[in-house]
């Protein structure tokens, strides 16, 4: 088991990474003295696979358990599902002496975190992420929330978990497309903040594709450590944390234009990373070899790299709707070579749109 600390003063917590760790959850929660009752929030897909183990370890540690199942899928990441979590917590009579366990991917994690932030004005919660994306990104850093009909993640709170428990063995059941999609976010860390990590990924593509146990632990541990260091520096995204949004400006535009149906998030991020790399090259922050290295690596994982053919005007409208846009333009993340990045406000739309060919 490998242990990392996210150092945020009284909101500090550990991330534990290892294979077969689910069975350790009860002991770890006891060590944190998290209360006497736990509600496990999961969905039927993940629940069928892992609820029994999680329930068992918590019961053995002496906890009273309530199980809350929410429907699977991003379309259910909304106020209706959130209300159903509150209803279940209240029906079970949970008090402030209780905590929530988010067992699942980023959808379950974001919603459970927000329920924990708001139920009885805040109860602790534990992240048990089971997708690669959730293990390397969404479970760490305290962004929680739900979607609104007007946009994704528009309602939420910064609320840190008390523990992140990453059992890498859960990835053995993850569908291939979901796994590969998560790799885009892994690669993102290498591009924006760690050249050595980028090189490590490039030198181990086959092992990564094969979900080699040891390699998986390495890429997850390093990704979490990099994310933790960014969050420690800028917990509430006053500025620097936005480097984690590398590639996301065009990713969000692609997702919006394709009505969130054609691409998984990581796939859209892969496309967006290529556009960010091209624009970085045009700015003189990176050169052609850097862009080629990024494109080659994304392609070697089977991720898409080409911008979906919509018109410049359609992209312009989609970019304008991004919640991260500022009145004076967009805060855009450029890579400086490989392993470093810079955030700049871009108000020159023609500059941004020159990667759009139509
Ligand atoms: P997801 O939660 O929808 O999970 C993808 C699919 O995999 C689901 O059908 C799920 O049931 C299934 N699944 C999960 N674990 C499994 C396993 N081990 N075996 C088999 N199937 C499994 O999607 P995701 O990619 O994990 O998360 C996407 C969400 O994360 C989005 O809502 C996004 O906004 C959010 N997100 C949040 C942050 C943050 O910082 N909070 C960062 C990135 C993304
Ligand atoms: N996934 C981006 C962030 O946590 O800030």
């Amino acid at each position: 088991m490998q242990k990392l600390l996210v150092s945020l003063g009284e909101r500090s917590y550990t991330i534990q990474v290892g294979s077969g760790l689910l069975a350790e959850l009860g002991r770890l929660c006891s060590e944190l003295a998290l209360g006497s009752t736990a509600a496990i929030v999961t969905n039927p897909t993940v629940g069928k696979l892992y609820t029994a183990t999680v329930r068992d370890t918590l019961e053995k540690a002496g906890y009273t358990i309530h199980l809350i199942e929410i429907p699977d899928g991003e379309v259910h990441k909304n106020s209706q599902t959130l209300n159903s979590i509150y209803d279940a917590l209240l029906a079970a009579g949970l008090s402030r002496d209780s905590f929530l366990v988010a067992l699942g991917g980023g959808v379950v994690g974001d919603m459970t975190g927000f329920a924990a932030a708001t139920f009885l004005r805040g109860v602790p919660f534990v992240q048990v992420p089971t997708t690669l994306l959730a293990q390397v990104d969404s479970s760490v850093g305290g962004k929680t929330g739900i979607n609104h009909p007007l946009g994704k993640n528009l309602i939420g709170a910064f609320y840190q978990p008390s523990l992140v428990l990453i059992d890498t063995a859960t990835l053995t059941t993850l569908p291939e497309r979901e796994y590969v999609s998560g790799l885009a976010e892994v690669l993102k860390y290498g591009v924006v903040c760690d050249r050595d990590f980028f090189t490590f990924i490039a030198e181990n593509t086959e092992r990564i594709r094969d979900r080699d146990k040891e390699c998986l632990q390495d890429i997850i541990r390093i990704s979490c450590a990099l994310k933790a260091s960014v969050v420690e520096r800028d917990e509430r995204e006053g500025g620097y944390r936005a480097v984690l949004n590398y590639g996301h400006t065009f990713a969000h535009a692609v997702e919006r234009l394709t009505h969130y149906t054609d691409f998984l998030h990581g796939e859209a991020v892969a496309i967006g990373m290529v556009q960010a790399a091209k624009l970085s090259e045009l700015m003189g922050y990176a050169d052609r070899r850097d862009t080629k290295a990024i494109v080659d690596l994304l392609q070697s994982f089977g991720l898409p790299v080409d911008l979906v053919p919509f018109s410049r005007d359609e992209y312009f409208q989609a970019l304008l709707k991004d919640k991260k846009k500022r009145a004076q333009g967009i805060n855009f993340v450029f890579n400086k070579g490989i392993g470093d990045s810079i955030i700049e406000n871009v108000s020159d739309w023609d500059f941004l749109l020159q990667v759009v060919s139509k």
Side-chain angles (χ1 to χ4, degrees), residues 66 88-95 98 119:
H66 295 279
L89 294 172
L90 292 167
L94 260 72
S95 66
S98 54
F119 179 66

Side-chain angles (χ1 to χ4, degrees), residues 43 72 74 77 105-107 110 130-131 138 143 153 170 173 178:
N43 68 34
D72 189 358
E74 182 75 30
K77 189 179 165 184
V107 170
D110 279 14
T130 61
T131 62
S138 64
K143 280 189 182 176
N153 297 326
T170 59
T173 55
E178 293 288 349

Side-chain angles (χ1 to χ4, degrees), residues 23-295:
E24 303 295 318
L25 183 63
R27 177 181 62 78
L28 292 166
C29 290
S30 293
E31 283 173 15
L32 290 169
L34 283 182
S36 59
T37 306
I40 302 168
V41 182
T42 190
N43 68 34
T45 315
V46 179
K48 196 169 61 205
L49 295 163
Y50 302 114
T51 297
T53 309
V54 170
R55 178 192 273 271
D56 189 51
T57 172
L58 288 168
E59 280 179 349
K60 277 191 182 132
Y63 291 106
T64 303
I65 302 301
H66 295 279
L67 183 64
I68 301 176
E69 265 197 0
I70 57 176
D72 189 358
E74 182 75 30
V75 288
H76 300 291
K77 189 179 165 184
N78 55 28
S79 55
Q80 198 184 336
T81 309
L82 180 69
N83 264 323
S84 76
I85 299 176
Y86 295 139
D87 290 347
L89 294 172
L90 292 167
L94 260 72
S95 66
R96 303 207 69 228
D97 179 35
S98 54
F99 64 99
L100 309 192
V101 176
L103 175 65
V107 170
V108 167
D110 279 14
M111 271 199 292
T112 306
F114 189 53
T118 45
F119 179 66
L120 303 179
R121 299 201 176 86
V123 293
F125 85 111
V126 169
Q127 287 275 19
V128 185
T130 61
T131 62
L132 181 61
L133 180 135
Q135 296 187 351
V136 299
D137 190 357
S138 64
S139 65
V140 176
K143 280 189 182 176
T144 71
I146 56 169
N147 300 330
H148 184 274
L150 290 181
K152 277 187 75 174
N153 297 326
L154 290 180
I155 314 295
F158 284 98
Y159 191 67
Q160 302 293 343
S162 299
L163 168 72
V164 179
L165 182 110
I166 300 176
D167 185 344
T168 53
T170 59
L171 297 183
T172 54
T173 55
L174 191 66
E176 180 67 8
R177 194 173 165 200
E178 293 288 349
Y179 175 72
V180 169
S181 170
L183 289 175
E185 301 282 3
V186 172
L187 192 60
K188 176 192 78 179
Y189 292 115
V191 176
V192 295
C193 53
D194 191 335
R195 189 182 175 87
D196 289 345
F197 186 40
F198 186 90
T199 306
F200 176 83
I201 297 167
E203 287 172 352
N204 288 281
T205 47
E206 248 179 67
R207 288 173 72 210
I208 294 171
R209 283 197 71 147
D210 292 346
R211 307 189 200 189
D212 173 274
K213 225 168 143 180
E214 205 181 305
C215 207
L216 262 185
Q217 291 211 24
D218 284 339
I219 62 167
I220 292 167
R221 176 181 45 80
I222 297 169
S223 298
C224 286
L226 290 169
K227 176 143 189 191
S229 68
V230 172
V231 170
E232 284 167 358
R233 199 165 138 185
D234 177 20
E235 184 182 2
R236 288 176 167 251
E237 203 168 306
Y240 180 64
R241 182 168 174 164
V243 297
L244 300 176
N245 298 330
Y246 178 75
H248 284 57
T249 301
F250 277 97
H252 291 154
V254 165
E255 289 178 307
R256 198 166 281 126
L257 288 168
T258 54
H259 308 287
Y260 300 92
T261 51
D262 296 8
F263 296 98
L264 295 179
H265 180 63
E267 294 169 340
V269 168
I271 294 170
M273 283 171 65
V274 175
Q275 314 322 311
K278 286 181 182 165
L279 290 170
S280 304
E281 202 184 310
L282 288 166
M283 288 287 280
Y285 289 134
D287 63 32
R288 189 168 292 185
R289 278 169 310 174
D290 299 321
T291 307
K292 183 173 174 342
I294 294 169
V295 172

